[in-house]
Amino acid sequence: MLIAQLTDTHIKPAGEAAYGKVDTAAFLRRAVAHLNDLRPAVAAVFVTGDLADRGLDPEYALLAEILSDLAAPVYLAAGNHDRRAGIRAAFPGHDYLTGDGDFIHYVADLGGLRAVVMDSSVSGKPYGQFCAARLDWLDRTLAQAPDQLTMVFQHHPPFETGIRHMDGQNLQEPEAYLAVLVRHPQVAHVACGHVHRASETTLQGIAMSIAPSPAHAVTLDLDPNGPPSFTMEPPLLRLFHVAPGGAVVSHLSPIGRFDGPHPFFAEDGKML
Ligand SMILES: [Fe+2]
Ligand SMILES: [Fe+2]
């Protein structure tokens, strides 16, 4: 099974560029075309927050229009740039969005993989946080299926990357979150967004990653005094190959067409 993760699409109203520079809608259209060309076909696409840049209705309307071209089912999560009501209004057919009070958290059962999508957003704040209600929901939800291979998707990462201005706005109080996760060893991977870069680590034995944005990257500046900035690096998206034995294997897929594929072997079987 192949699962895709898009994140931090930061869609603006039609005709506007993010930060006056980034045509995020065009980048997302390229990502959608790239995903539709993948073989095997992806079973689902998770979009882990900062869907819209300002949480505006026209932004969500454009996002919905672009994502409607995806062949695979789409599952949305909320980030710090998002507005829950705006997401719900623009995606009326996405029944999972209406699940549990105000929070957009839910389970997507993909058959062979159970995806738990968390809502780490805190209204009006750049950082993320799981209140007691959300942690309790996670604990109960994971307890319902202890034998099913599980991935968790969310916007804010519970670990630091070394990029100081982003580390100041990641998931607050990660200890309480990790204390819940370690009670449920079926959780194979926690997939996050927010940092606009590919990053991976292991916490308490649980694999975790951050997916890059299909548009702008946060500059890889590990200088503690480095100013917040972005760089137009080659766009990427993250894929998860769920192996038959249950291993969740992560890949990065550069978005676009590149020279190749070229064969290693000639028709007579000899290496070229
Ligand atoms: Fe973002
Ligand atoms: Fe974010």
Side-chain angles (χ1 to χ4, degrees), residues 12-121:
K12 301 284 288 181
E16 290 185 29
Y19 312 105
K21 184 163 183 69
V22 188
D23 185 350
T24 49
F27 279 109
L28 181 56
R29 287 187 205 278
R30 273 175 235 144
V32 166
H34 184 83
L35 284 168
N36 285 342
D37 283 347
L38 289 175
R39 296 293 178 272
V42 293
V45 179
F46 292 85
V47 194
T48 49
D50 287 0
L51 310 173
D53 194 52
R54 295 278 163 88
L56 304 175
D57 289 340
E59 297 175 339
Y60 289 117
L62 181 54
L63 175 73
E65 180 214 311
I66 298 170
L67 292 181
S68 70
D69 286 337
L70 260 179
V74 181
Y75 296 95
L76 305 171
N80 49 297
H81 284 251
D82 289 310
R83 192 170 46 85
R84 294 174 187 134
I87 298 173
R88 289 181 167 120
F91 292 89
H94 292 222
D95 294 340
Y96 61 84
L97 291 172
T98 57
D100 185 51
D102 193 32
F103 304 125
I104 295 180
H105 54 200
Y106 54 90
V107 175
D109 195 342
L110 304 177
L113 179 73
R114 191 172 189 245
V116 176
V117 178
M118 294 294 290
D119 183 342
S120 61
S121 67

Side-chain angles (χ1 to χ4, degrees), residues 80-174:
N80 49 297
H81 284 251
D82 289 310
R83 192 170 46 85
R84 294 174 187 134
I87 298 173
R88 289 181 167 120
F91 292 89
H94 292 222
D95 294 340
Y96 61 84
L97 291 172
T98 57
D100 185 51
D102 193 32
F103 304 125
I104 295 180
H105 54 200
Y106 54 90
V107 175
D109 195 342
L110 304 177
L113 179 73
R114 191 172 189 245
V116 176
V117 178
M118 294 294 290
D119 183 342
S120 61
S121 67
V122 180
S123 189
K125 303 292 184 192
Y127 59 78
Q129 195 159 28
F130 292 136
C131 55
R134 280 175 274 190
L135 289 179
D136 181 57
W137 180 88
L138 177 65
D139 201 21
R140 284 185 284 114
T141 299
L142 292 174
Q144 287 164 3
D147 299 323
Q148 286 186 38
L149 181 68
T150 299
M151 286 183 70
V152 177
F153 290 87
Q154 65 195 45
H155 186 67
H156 294 86
F159 60 92
E160 296 186 355
T161 61
I163 302 172
R164 189 187 55 93
H165 66 97
M166 294 305 295
D167 289 342
Q169 50 174 272
N170 64 1
L171 188 79
Q172 307 296 291
E173 300 172 354

